[in-house]
Amino acid sequence: MTIRRTDYTNGAAAPGVRATGGDLLPGGVIGDGRYRLLNQCGLDARGNAHLWRATDGQLRRDVALTILVGDPTDREATVAARRTLERAAHAAQFSNPSVSRVLDVLGVGTGIDPSEGVLGVVVADWSQGTDLVDLIAEHPLPPGTAARLLEPLAAAVEQGHHAGLVLGVDHPQRVAVGPTGALRLAFPGPLPQATLQDDVKGLGAVLYLLLTGRWALPGGPPTIPLAPRDQRGTPIPPHQLRPDVPLQLSELAVRAIADSSIGGIRTSSALLTLLEAAAHQAEIEEQTDLLNPVMPGNGGDATTVWTTRPVKDDGRRRKLAIGVTALTVATVGVLAWLGMQLISLFSDGSATNTAQQVSISPTAPSNGGQQPQANPPPAPKPSTPVKPDKVQVYALKGDDKDNSGSIRRLTDGNPKTIWKTATYKQPFPASREGIGIMVSFEQATKLAQLTVDSPSDGTVLEIRSAPSLDAKLDETKVIGTGTLVDGKTDIPISAPEPTQFVLVWITKLGGSGKENLSQFRDLTFASAQ
């Protein structure tokens, strides 16, 4: 199977020409002339996100740019871009070798002119290597190698989910393959509506791609063939397309892609556990296959690279060397990751994921209220619960305040009582930009964590500090984000200063179809130590 790479750049802009949304070409500049575009690496059409390699003219290094393109008069597009920037900025505190660091976010007023058709830019570390399209261009990977290469990325997703972050591992051109063979999220910046479940599905789709050379989720690049599906719309299991794929690994890929309501894998933790077991089984089967000789000629399977007999064919010899190198590097990477986990287990604060502060470039936004902070401080450790003095429903001008009469149930300490939003036939922001819960305390308090008890899996929240109870949304600042699971969800809060007013802003409701709503049992705040 041959996969064609797309040449995204059919020309070159003159040096110094400002890049616009409809004219992103090599040589163009963006971000007040600081970043010069080199070559386009992909396009995530779901969010109109153009993925580029660029040069930072100030620090003289290559960076990865996720450029959000759209019509500035389209309210839905501008709201979506702003939320993507805020989510990316909050992820700047996240540190993992398998995820590129967010260095900067550029929005309107911080190097971006919306009249040029660019709504925002996420700047991240550049990842050396190639993309998944090149990796499987000649043929898919051996099953054991595919599973081992995916493990460190799956572990990074699990770490991010524990911190309440959605990473956006759901598009093949956002994932790069480093010189050592390790997979890395190279272009961070999750879609505004992306959930924890989308990350799990993305990992399943990446595994499916490595095993079959086909993409099994909507919105993939046209250069990769789509996965064949059965009459129910479910992707055909990889072992039916490739008999050498172990059944356990094949079922894992399909279950990760499926919705949790029909038996799909729900959490990244469960996926990682199953992936480790499936990878181990796949390696055992591959080691067993070493005893089976490969006959000379073209009778063997096109994906076979393992044999105990001398290999005289140069092509097979090259494949054998690549396969052994990839497997060795993957094994070393996994051992290194396990060592880091053991170190963190016995170090102080091992029960929590402590975010590391990221160095941000000098042009990071000053965060006047609308723009997100690209370098929020690490979340402090939670200490004692702090009870709110007042709680009320918060809505933008012209929007209804849903069920305001029962809002006090959120702080009554009784998990049997519930406050819920209205039921919307369309998800946010189609129906409205969002709805919030405004909380005030007797005095300004330095907060470390919010624990949300809710049955509404998939609800996405932004925690914002506010100057007053009736503050406008653009006067608030994001100090935490999280995606809820069914039960209790801990959301770290990174507020540099004590705050008296906190807005819990709901940007995505639970439910689906025409039944979009979220329910909450309790909100519990914890102050910093």
Side-chain angles (χ1 to χ4, degrees):
M1 176 178 56
T2 300
I3 297 179
R4 176 179 59 85
R5 282 197 74 182
T6 299
D7 181 7
Y8 297 94
T9 56
N10 298 318
V17 173
R18 179 177 292 275
T20 64
D23 187 28
L24 294 173
L25 295 174
V29 294
I30 200 168
D32 283 340
R34 174 170 179 173
Y35 302 103
R36 184 177 303 279
L37 303 180
L38 297 178
N39 62 280
Q40 188 167 6
C41 304
L43 170 65
D44 188 348
R46 302 168 304 164
N48 210 4
H50 296 243
L51 313 176
W52 278 79
R53 181 179 184 176
T55 295
D56 184 339
Q58 292 187 11
L59 300 182
R60 299 186 180 279
R61 62 179 177 182
D62 286 355
V63 291
L65 302 185
T66 301
I67 304 175
L68 307 176
V69 175
D71 182 357
T73 64
D74 184 341
R75 180 175 179 270
E76 186 171 344
T78 56
V79 169
R82 183 175 54 122
R83 288 180 179 168
T84 294
L85 295 178
E86 288 175 342
R87 299 182 89 175
H90 190 64
Q93 64 182 290
F94 182 71
S95 178
N96 188 285
S98 295
V99 178
S100 292
R101 292 184 307 149
V102 174
L103 303 174
D104 201 355
V105 289
L106 307 177
V108 177
T110 57
I112 297 301
D113 183 356
S115 65
E116 297 175 343
V118 175
L119 304 179
V121 179
V122 179
V123 185
D125 274 335
W126 174 250
S127 299
Q128 296 292 340
T130 185
D131 59 24
L132 292 183
V133 179
D134 278 348
L135 182 65
I136 48 90
E138 186 176 351
H139 57 69
L141 299 184
T145 303
R148 286 303 182 195
L149 292 182
L150 184 63
E151 275 190 82
L153 183 58
V157 170
E158 183 193 26
Q159 180 185 344
H161 287 187
H162 278 300
L165 299 173
V166 177
L167 299 186
V169 188
D170 54 1
H171 192 278
Q173 290 174 324
R174 289 182 179 267
V175 179
V177 186
T180 62
L183 299 187
R184 192 175 198 230
L185 178 59
F187 292 92
L191 298 177
Q193 71 274 19
T195 65
L196 302 179
Q197 185 75 44
D198 290 323
D199 275 345
V200 174
K201 290 183 178 182
L203 290 172
V206 170
L207 178 59
Y208 194 100
L209 176 66
L210 297 178
L211 295 174
T212 68
R214 296 169 172 85
W215 186 249
L217 288 178
T223 52
I224 300 181
L226 295 177
R229 297 179 178 269
D230 59 22
Q231 294 180 347
R232 299 175 300 174
T234 304
I236 299 297
H239 75 277
Q240 295 185 19
L241 304 176
R242 240 183 101 185
D244 64 316
V245 176
L247 179 61
Q248 184 179 6
L249 193 61
S250 176
E251 291 180 344
L252 172 61
V254 174
R255 286 189 58 206
I257 297 168
D259 291 331
S260 58
S261 59
I262 57 174
I265 298 173
R266 182 174 174 180
T267 66
S268 55
S269 177
L271 173 63
L272 182 59
T273 300
L274 294 173
L275 181 61
E276 291 172 344
H280 179 68
Q281 182 62 32
E283 287 184 344
I284 292 177
E285 295 188 17
E286 285 177 359
Q287 291 170 4
T288 303
D289 288 342
L290 290 174
L291 302 177
N292 299 326
V294 177
M295 301 303 294
N298 298 323
D301 183 11
T303 62
T304 303
V305 296
W306 311 103
T307 175
T308 57
R309 299 185 61 179
V311 181
K312 297 181 179 180
D313 180 79
D314 290 339
R316 288 180 180 274
R317 194 184 298 254
R318 184 169 59 255
K319 293 177 182 177
L320 177 60
I322 293 174
V324 171
T325 301
L327 183 58
T328 302
V329 170
T331 302
V332 172
V334 171
L335 291 175
W337 175 80
L338 289 174
M340 293 173 62
Q341 298 302 307
L342 288 174
I343 293 173
S344 65
L345 179 64
F346 294 102
S347 63
D348 182 36
S350 61
T352 60
N353 291 302
T354 304
Q356 299 181 11
Q357 186 168 347
V358 178
S359 175
I360 303 300
S361 57
T363 60
S366 60
N367 199 342
Q370 290 184 320
Q371 297 305 321
Q373 285 183 302
N375 57 341
K381 295 180 181 179
S383 178
T384 57
V386 52
K387 188 173 178 61
D389 179 57
K390 187 176 182 180
V391 58
Q392 64 186 41
V393 178
Y394 178 94
L396 300 183
K397 186 176 181 180
D399 290 341
D400 294 334
K401 294 186 176 181
D402 298 355
N403 299 320
S404 58
S406 58
I407 190 68
R408 291 186 176 275
R409 295 175 181 176
L410 293 177
T411 57
D412 62 3
N414 184 1
K416 295 182 179 180
T417 60
I418 285 180
W419 174 81
K420 62 182 180 180
T421 68
T423 301
Y424 294 86
K425 294 183 178 180
Q426 291 182 308
F428 297 165
S431 55
R432 59 191 291 174
E433 187 169 343
I435 189 171
I437 304 161
M438 182 64 80
V439 177
S440 66
F441 301 92
E442 289 186 358
Q443 58 186 8
T445 304
K446 188 168 181 60
L447 300 172
Q449 180 176 283
L450 167 62
T451 299
V452 182
D453 189 355
S454 167
S456 299
D457 185 34
T459 299
V460 179
L461 305 179
E462 294 175 351
I463 316 304
R464 293 170 169 263
S465 62
S468 64
L469 280 174
D470 56 355
K472 296 180 179 179
L473 186 62
D474 59 9
E475 296 175 337
T476 65
K477 298 179 181 179
V478 177
I479 56 176
T481 60
T483 302
L484 303 186
V485 297
D486 184 358
K488 293 185 177 181
T489 304
D490 294 332
I491 302 177
I493 296 178
S494 299
E497 301 293 338
T499 181
Q500 186 175 3
F501 307 99
V502 174
L503 173 62
V504 181
W505 183 242
I506 305 169
T507 63
K508 182 181 182 301
L509 296 171
S512 60
K514 295 184 178 181
E515 298 289 330
N516 299 277
L517 82 158
S518 292
Q519 302 182 70
F520 299 82
R521 300 186 185 98
D522 279 307
L523 300 181
T524 305
F525 290 87
S527 61
Q529 289 184 353

